[in-house]
Amino acid sequence: MDTTIQSLWRLKPMTAPQAKLGDLVSNTKIGVEIEIENMRTPPPIPGWNLTHDGSLRNGGVEYVFSSPIGGSAACTRLSRLEASLNEITTKTFGPRTSVHIHVDVRDLTWEQACKMIVLYAMVEPYLFSICGQERDENIYSLSLYRGQDQVSRLNELIQQGPSALSSSKWAKYSSINLLAMPTFGSLEFRGHKGTCSKDALVNWINHLLSLKMYVLDESKDIGDLPQILSQNGHHALLAEIFGQKLVVANLKSANRVRSLIYEGVWVAEDLLYHTNFREADKKLIEGLGTDGSNQMNKLRNKLCVD
Amino acid sequence: MTHPAFGDMTVRDILATYSDTYIQLQTRDDDGFYSAKLLGVDDDNGLYFEKPNGDRIIVGMQDSDVKYKLDWPTLGMVNIRDHVVLVERIAQRQWKKGLRMSSLRTCAFDTSILMHLYETHRRGRPDYFYQSDLIKLYTPEYTDFHEALEVVEAGEKIARAISPLFCVSNRWQVSKPLLYYKSNAIGVVTGTSVELAPEVSHIIPLLKRIVPNGYHNSIVMATKANDSTAG
């Protein structure tokens, strides 16, 4: 199926990308939402809309990109936000605040979008190590590898296709929100802790953009990645996806999840091989037939003695 | 002012976030952490907990001798009485952060067998995972691989978990016990060995992490000829 996410949900066509990348690794358009507390008189900032969020306290507000934009123009907005908010000494980024990044996937097919989700799952422990390890159990952005129920739901979604994507099948309160796809044509990443630091945001956004770049690179295959991990270690795996430069800049985060990264790979393998699992289950049961009386008799004899 | 473990939370926040959920605590008199349900706060800002044995304790909210662990346990397969339950956490709109039943999705091995034994022999109860079983998630005990094969095959147990990801279980109307990876059967138990379905060969390295060295040849990969040992 070659239909793009844009045509699947009849979304607005993509406009021309920004010519200059600025500090970002690609010119894919992004949307940014930043939550802040203790903002009594939030200033207007060009390129950002100001909204209020019920989950925040004490004058909590949310700055949201006024429109999706990429490359250097997005960086300019991040710089403006940082400069404006640095002047507000009362602001706080408590545990309730977070940063949500929308990555435009309108140009991807459903299969490519699924690959990007699987790739995200594979490196999720590393990504949480960057964006705030303590947030992997956050009730507003529960990670796939800690929640696990979302992995079962993802398997069903991948099996059933895009028409099955609805709020009954997916919860917004996951670290990755698929429900932004039919609405905005984006994948929303909700894991990052609250911050207005441009450097931190650019670092995070570049990781997310790298996921999409990997999926678009036809010379690369997600299926090879588990083997890269087992043969060459976690640095090699992460460098293959994010590039050496980004991984070296986040070496501490990478080393913190040396063991945990395997959990991400197991989740990804669950998604990559979901058809194999189903087939194996079906074949095994069919092969054994339906006469379970022997085992049931054993269980009755052993467990139901008065 | 509350205990540092609760960060900048007020008493109201703590109640809204953790009441009626399980967290772990350790008081000065305890050897280690144990899980308890937070019931409420008394007038003197004492936190009321119910211990697993039903005892109730009150600890001062600012008592620095009390330690708390607010993280969830690792979920997955857990041995419950004679069966196994696969426990997963649901992402949902909520305020509660502690461990509680309504945030979990559970799948029993094997529900039909449990129901059948209950209906025909009034054995146990049809519910397979109770509120009181929640605390087992903090200290799960896994069965040795070969012991699991033996006791399940002999009918001494319906199922046994061997790790958070794998269990050996009988299945309703199936003649032999099966090895499960999460909710999918991936192999058939025959005697002291398991024959894995070839479709899931990628799982072998993961399985070998939990099966002791020296026993790896008891994991056999089924092929059309049924003649190869998992490498």
Side-chain angles (χ1 to χ4, degrees):
Chain A
M1 183 165 55
D2 291 318
T3 318
T4 61
I5 297 296
Q6 186 251 317
S7 54
L8 253 177
W9 279 289
R10 295 177 187 170
L11 298 161
K12 261 172 51 177
M14 299 176 86
T15 52
Q18 271 63 43
K20 291 182 184 170
L21 295 182
D23 297 324
L24 298 181
V25 293
S26 93
N27 56 9
T28 286
K29 290 186 195 307
I30 53 169
V32 180
E33 304 168 5
I34 293 178
E35 296 171 340
I36 315 160
E37 289 183 327
N38 290 302
M39 293 282 287
R40 298 294 172 201
T41 51
I45 302 171
W48 295 83
N49 291 335
L50 189 61
T51 62
H52 291 269
D53 188 309
S55 66
L56 302 173
R57 300 272 179 85
N58 307 324
V61 296
E62 189 173 12
Y63 281 95
V64 181
F65 263 19
S66 53
S67 58
I69 204 160
S72 61
C75 295
T76 305
R77 288 188 188 178
L78 297 176
S79 299
R80 279 192 200 133
L81 180 89
E82 184 179 32
S84 299
L85 296 185
N86 276 349
E87 291 172 14
I88 301 169
T89 53
T90 57
K91 72 173 185 302
T92 54
F93 291 102
R96 285 173 293 271
T97 66
S98 55
V99 172
H100 302 162
I101 305 291
H102 289 256
V103 175
D104 192 350
V105 294
R106 283 175 294 175
D107 54 332
L108 300 188
T109 62
W110 171 252
E111 281 74 14
Q112 286 173 321
C114 289
K115 272 188 192 167
M116 190 169 160
I117 295 161
V118 174
L119 190 58
Y120 165 80
M122 190 177 286
V123 291
E124 193 184 43
Y126 166 67
L127 293 174
F128 267 99
S129 179
I130 290 168
C131 70
Q133 191 71 64
E134 70 285 358
R135 291 178 55 84
D136 64 355
E137 292 195 16
N138 189 286
I139 53 174
Y140 303 113
S141 62
L142 182 61
S143 61
L144 304 180
Y145 75 102
R146 288 293 286 165
Q148 289 289 340
D149 173 58
Q150 301 118 293
V151 182
S152 307
R153 285 170 182 263
L154 266 176
N155 270 329
E156 285 169 24
L157 267 177
I158 292 172
Q159 177 85 4
Q160 292 168 6
S163 58
L165 182 54
S166 68
S167 55
S168 64
K169 296 275 180 167
W170 192 258
K172 175 184 170 184
Y173 300 95
S174 295
S175 56
I176 180 169
N177 176 21
L178 312 190
L179 296 173
M181 263 196 293
T183 313
F184 303 113
S186 64
L187 280 174
E188 182 190 17
F189 298 88
R190 300 167 58 86
H192 204 289
K193 62 187 172 190
T195 182
C196 64
S197 157
K198 184 199 165 192
D199 288 345
L201 291 168
V202 164
N203 184 46
W204 177 234
I205 291 164
N206 276 337
H207 277 89
L208 303 178
L209 292 176
S210 299
L211 297 177
K212 183 176 171 185
M213 288 166 69
Y214 184 94
V215 166
L216 285 171
D217 186 340
E218 288 178 359
S219 69
K220 296 190 171 178
D221 184 353
I222 295 182
D224 295 338
L225 293 172
Q227 202 172 2
I228 291 177
L229 176 66
S230 61
Q231 286 180 352
N232 304 318
H234 67 299
H235 280 163
L237 169 79
L238 297 172
E240 175 72 10
I241 299 166
F242 300 111
Q244 197 69 30
K245 190 179 166 191
L246 210 48
V247 175
V248 167
N250 292 274
L251 215 50
K252 275 188 184 173
S253 298
N255 288 338
R256 264 200 299 268
V257 292
R258 190 189 298 265
S259 307
L260 208 52
I261 197 103
Y262 284 91
E263 291 192 27
V265 172
W266 298 336
V267 168
E269 285 190 326
D270 287 359
L271 300 168
L272 283 171
Y273 296 109
H274 69 279
T275 311
N276 299 45
F277 281 119
R278 261 174 233 260
E279 273 178 23
D281 187 290
K282 195 173 165 218
K283 275 190 191 171
L284 288 174
I285 304 308
E286 284 174 359
L288 288 170
T290 55
D291 182 11
S293 55
N294 184 34
Q295 279 306 109
M296 277 311 297
N297 285 338
K298 287 183 190 173
L299 286 168
R300 277 190 209 101
N301 292 339
K302 292 278 167 57
L303 299 178
C304 301
V305 179
D306 291 328
Chain B
M1 186 66 186
T2 59
H3 191 283
F6 294 103
D8 64 351
M9 287 179 140
T10 62
V11 174
R12 208 174 135 211
D13 289 338
I14 293 172
L15 277 178
T17 310
Y18 291 107
S19 64
D20 284 326
T21 71
Y22 286 85
I23 58 179
Q24 288 185 289
L25 72 153
Q26 180 184 20
T27 66
R28 184 178 2 205
D29 304 325
D30 299 318
D31 292 335
F33 280 90
Y34 62 91
S35 50
K37 186 161 77 171
L38 178 62
L39 299 175
V41 179
D42 72 3
D43 294 340
D44 299 321
N45 278 348
L47 294 171
Y48 261 102
F49 287 97
E50 186 177 78
K51 286 177 151 187
N53 61 6
D55 290 351
R56 293 190 175 191
I57 57 162
I58 304 173
V59 294
M61 193 172 293
Q62 296 166 37
D63 188 343
S64 57
D65 286 334
V66 182
K67 295 174 189 165
Y68 295 96
K69 277 189 190 171
L70 303 174
D71 288 349
W72 277 52
T74 297
L75 303 180
M77 302 277 193
V78 59
N79 282 319
I80 302 290
R81 292 171 287 284
D82 297 321
H83 60 279
V84 167
V85 177
L86 173 62
V87 183
E88 298 177 330
R89 184 175 177 183
I90 304 167
Q92 60 186 354
R93 184 182 174 85
Q94 60 177 328
W95 292 104
K96 301 281 186 191
K97 286 186 183 171
L99 177 67
R100 60 178 181 152
M101 286 291 271
S102 59
S103 293
L104 300 176
R105 190 174 78 136
T106 56
C107 165
F109 296 88
D110 177 290
T111 313
S112 299
I113 292 177
L114 284 165
M115 281 303 293
H116 174 81
L117 294 179
Y118 172 72
E119 285 170 3
T120 57
H121 293 78
R122 288 282 163 235
R123 180 193 169 274
R125 281 160 52 183
D127 303 335
Y128 49 81
F129 193 72
Y130 312 142
Q131 172 101 349
S132 56
D133 293 326
L134 279 174
I135 56 169
K136 291 178 184 153
L137 295 171
Y138 286 104
T139 51
E141 288 175 5
Y142 295 107
T143 309
D144 165 77
F145 178 64
H146 277 100
E147 186 188 335
L149 299 185
E150 278 175 26
V151 296
V152 173
E153 204 276 332
E156 290 168 23
K157 302 285 180 189
I158 298 168
R160 286 295 84 183
I162 56 174
S163 86
L165 298 173
F166 293 95
C167 80
V168 179
S169 177
N170 282 297
R171 179 147 156 173
W172 178 244
Q173 292 186 333
V174 172
S175 56
K176 288 182 176 178
L178 300 163
L179 176 68
Y180 279 84
Y181 172 75
K182 294 187 177 176
S183 50
N184 290 297
I186 58 166
V188 179
V189 176
T190 307
T192 55
S193 66
V194 177
E195 191 173 80
L196 285 185
E199 291 84 358
V200 294
S201 57
H202 70 279
I203 213 83
I204 291 173
L206 187 52
L207 188 56
K208 284 186 173 175
R209 288 167 78 107
I210 54 164
V211 176
N213 279 337
Y215 291 103
H216 288 173
N217 57 1
S218 61
I219 306 166
V220 179
M221 176 60 64
T223 61
K224 280 181 184 169
N226 283 340
D227 60 354
S228 77
T229 299

